[in-house]
C-alpha cells in the first residue's frame, strides 16, 4: 500500500541549510510521550479500588504494553525503514493516543478488558513503533556522534515518567472515582496526540548527498566499526545479533528487577532497622531511580562515542555485577550504599538502551539499522517478564517461608550477578561481522537512505 503524500519519505527530505539539531527535539516529542508507560503505577491503585481488581490484574495493561512494544518493533521495523520517520511517528501517535481513548471508554463503562486491549494492545503498538521511529534517522543525521544523538531521544523515554507521574497524580486526586480516571485517560490521549504531532511535522531526513561538516573517520580508528551494511534478514543469521540480544536481555533484566519493585524493596530492606523508610521516602527513591535512568541514557551513550560501544557495555555489565554484589554483602547496613548502588544500576539500565542503536550501527551499518533494532527489542519483552518474575517470585516465596528484610531479595540479587556475568561474556564474544553477510556496495549505499 502506497504511503500518502504528506507522510512519504520523499516529502521530508531536508533542503540545503536545514539544521540537523531539529531532529532530536522531534524525536523527543515522541519519546517523552510514550515514556508515560513508566508511570503506569500511578493508575494501578485507583483502578483496583474503582473496578475491584487485584494487583496482578491492574498490571496487565502495562505488561501487555511492554510485550507489544517488543513485538511491534520487531515486526514493524522494516516498514519503519521503508516508509520513513514521518509515517512511523504518525502511526505511533494514532495508536498511542487511541489506546488512552479506549482505556477511558473501558473505565467509563466498567469494562476492564477495554483498558487492557486499549492501553496495552493498541497503545503498545504505538510504544513499539514510536520507540524505533527516529532511531535510523538520528544515526544518519549524526554519523559522527551516533551515541549522543540516540541518547538524547531515548533519554526522553526514560524521563517521560517524570512528567507523567505528577501530572497524572494531580489529575486523579486523592480519592478518584471511575469518572475521574476516565477523564484523565481522555485528556492524556488528546494532549499526547498534540505533542507527538509536533515531532511528525518537524522531522526531516537528510538528502542523499548530505554530509556533516568534517569527515567521519571512526571506522579507521575503531576496528569494531564497519563501513559495510548488513540487511535485517542477514543480521539475524549472525552470532553478533544474538550475542547482543543476550546482552540487552540480561542488562534489562538486572535493571528492571529493581525498577519494578523499587518502593516496596527499599521499604522491606530497612524495615525493623533504626532508620525505616516511609512511603514518602520510598516515592522519593523511585523518583531518583527515574532520574538516573533518564540521565544514564544520555551520559553513558555519549561516553560510548569516545570509548567505544563494546567497552561501555563491559562497564554496564561488569560494574553492574559488582554493585549487586555490594548490595548483597552489605544488606541493610547502609542506606546510602543501597541507594547509590541502585541508582548506578538504573543508569546502566538506561544507558544500555540508548547505546544499543549506535552499537548496531557500528556492526551492521545504517542500511536497515531501524529494522535490526526493532528485532533486537524482543529481548526487552523477554526481560520485562523475566526480571519481575525473578524478583517478585523469590520475594513471595521467601515471605511465605517467614523471612523478612533483605532476606526477601538476597537470592534474586545473586541470580542477577550471575546473569550480568553471562551478559559480560556474551559482549566479549562480539566481533566484526564477516564479509559474507555484507550487502553489495551499491545496494547498501542506496538502502542507507531508503
Amino acid at each position: 500500500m502506497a504511503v500518502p503524500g504528506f507522510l512519504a519519505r520523499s516529502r521530508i527530505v531536508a533542503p540545503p541549510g536545514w539544521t540537523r539539531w531539529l531532529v532530536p527535539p522531534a524525536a523527543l516529542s515522541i519519546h517523552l510521550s510514550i515514556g508515560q508507560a513508566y508511570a503506569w503505577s500511578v493508575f494501578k491503585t485507583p483502578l483496583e479500588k474503582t473496578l475491584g481488581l487485584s494487583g496482578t490484574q491492574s498490571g496487565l495493561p502495562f505488561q501487555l504494553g511492554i510485550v507489544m512494544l517488543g513485538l511491534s518493533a520487531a515486526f514493524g521495523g522494516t516498514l519503519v525503514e521503508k516508509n520513513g520517520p514521518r509515517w512511523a511517528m504518525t502511526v505511533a501517535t494514532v495508536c498511542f493516543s487511541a489506546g488512552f481513548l479506549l482505556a477511558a471508554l473501558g473505565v467509563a463503562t466498567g469494562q476492564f478488558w477495554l483498558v487492557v486491549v486499549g492501553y496495552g494492545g493498541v497503545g503498545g503498538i504505538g510504544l513499539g513503533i514510536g520507540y524505533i521511529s527516529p532511531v535510523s534517522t538520528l544515526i544518519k543525521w549524526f554519523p559522527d556522534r551516533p551515541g549522543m544523538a540516540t541518547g538524547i531521544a531515548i533519554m526522553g523515554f526514560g524521563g517521560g515518567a517524570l512528567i507523567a507521574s505528577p501530572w497524572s497524580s494531580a489529575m486523579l486526586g486523592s480519592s478518584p472515582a471511575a469518572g475521574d480516571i476516565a477523564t484523565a485517560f481522555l485528556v492524556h490521549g488528546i494532549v499526547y496526540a498534540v505533542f507527538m504531532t509536533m515531532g511528525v511535522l518537524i522531522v526531516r531526513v537528510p538528502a542523499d548527498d548530505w554530509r556533516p561538516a568534517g569527515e567521519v573517520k571512526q571506522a579507521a580508528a575503531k576496528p569494531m566499526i564497519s563501513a559495510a551494511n548488513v540487511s535485517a534478514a542477514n543480521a539475524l543469521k549472525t552470532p553478533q545479533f544474538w550475542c547482543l540480544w543476550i546482552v540487552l536481555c540480561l542488562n534489562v533484566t538486572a535493571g528492571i528487577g529493581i525498577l519494578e519493585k523499587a518502593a516496596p524493596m527499599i521499604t522491606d530492606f530497612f524495615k525493623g532497622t533504626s532508620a525505616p523508610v516511609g512511603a514518602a521516602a520510598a516515592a522519593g527513591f523511585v523518583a531518583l531511580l527515574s532520574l538516573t535512568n533518564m540521565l544514564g541514557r544520555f551520559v553513558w551513550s555519549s561516553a560510548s562515542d569516545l570509548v567505544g560501544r563494546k567497552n561501555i557495555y563491559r562497564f554496564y555489565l561488569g560494574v553492574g555485577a559488582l554493585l549487586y554484589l555490594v548490595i548483597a554483602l552489605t544488606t541493610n547496613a547502609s542506606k546510602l550504599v543501597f541507594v547509590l548502588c541502585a541508582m548506578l544500576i538504573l543508569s546502566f539500565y538506561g544507558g544500555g538502551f540508548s547505546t544499543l542503536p549506535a552499537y548496531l550501527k557500528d556492526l551492521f551499518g545504517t542500511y536497515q539499522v531501524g529494522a535490526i533494532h526493532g528485532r533486537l527489542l524482543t529481548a526487552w519483552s523477554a526481560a520485562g517478564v523475566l526480571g519481575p518474575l525473578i524478583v517478585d517470585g523469590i520475594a513471595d516465596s521467601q515471605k511465605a517461608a517467614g523471612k523478612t528484610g533483605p532476606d526477601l531479595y538476597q537470592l534474586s540479587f545473586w541470580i542477577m550477578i550471575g546473569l550480568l556475568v553471562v551478559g559480560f561474556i556474551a559482549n566479549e564474544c562480539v566481533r566484526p561481522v564477516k564479509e559474507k553477510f555484507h550487502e553489495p556496495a551499491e545496494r547498501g549505499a542506496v538502502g542507507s537512505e531508503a
Side-chain angles (χ1 to χ4, degrees), residues 55-279:
T56 300
Q57 289 174 320
S58 67
L60 287 176
F62 173 78
Q63 290 175 321
L64 180 58
I66 296 300
V67 170
M68 291 303 297
L69 185 158
L71 294 177
S72 60
F75 290 106
T78 302
L79 287 175
V80 171
E81 285 291 299
K82 177 182 177 182
N83 296 332
R86 176 173 283 178
W87 174 88
M89 289 179 174
T90 300
V91 171
T93 300
V94 171
C95 291
F96 189 66
S97 299
F100 274 107
L101 300 184
L102 285 171
L105 179 62
V107 174
T109 59
Q111 301 295 316
F112 181 62
W113 68 270
L114 264 178
V115 180
V116 176
V117 171
Y119 185 92
V122 178
I125 294 173
L127 284 176
I129 299 298
Y131 192 87
I132 63 174
S133 61
V135 168
S136 64
T137 303
L138 283 165
I139 287 175
K140 289 163 190 171
W141 274 114
F142 292 89
D144 48 340
R145 285 176 281 184
M148 180 212 70
T150 55
I152 290 174
I154 295 176
M155 176 181 69
F157 191 85
L162 292 179
I163 298 172
S165 184
W167 177 38
S168 301
S169 297
M171 288 193 68
L172 293 172
S174 56
S175 300
D180 300 318
I181 301 171
T183 300
F185 280 143
L186 177 64
V187 172
H188 278 56
I190 295 171
V191 172
Y192 281 131
V194 172
F195 191 63
M196 294 170 77
T197 299
M198 293 169 56
V200 171
L201 297 175
I202 294 172
V203 73
R204 296 290 185 275
V205 295
D208 291 348
D209 58 352
W210 179 86
R211 296 293 181 271
E215 289 296 317
V216 181
K217 300 181 179 179
Q218 286 180 310
K222 297 177 182 177
M224 285 298 297
I225 299 180
S226 172
N229 288 289
V230 180
S231 69
N234 276 339
L236 291 174
K237 302 173 185 176
T238 66
Q240 288 84 354
F241 177 90
W242 295 106
C243 283
L244 287 183
W245 194 98
I246 293 170
V247 166
L248 179 64
C249 181
L250 300 185
N251 189 60
V252 172
T253 298
I256 210 168
I258 287 181
L259 183 64
E260 183 266 345
K261 204 173 176 66
M265 181 181 289
I266 194 171
T267 302
D268 290 337
F269 236 71
F270 296 95
K271 184 181 293 184
T273 67
S274 59
V277 175

Side-chain angles (χ1 to χ4, degrees), residues 386-406:
L386 185 60
L389 185 65
I390 292 171
V391 176
D392 290 339
I394 291 176
D396 288 345
S397 65
Q398 298 290 55
K399 185 174 290 186
K403 295 185 178 181
T404 59

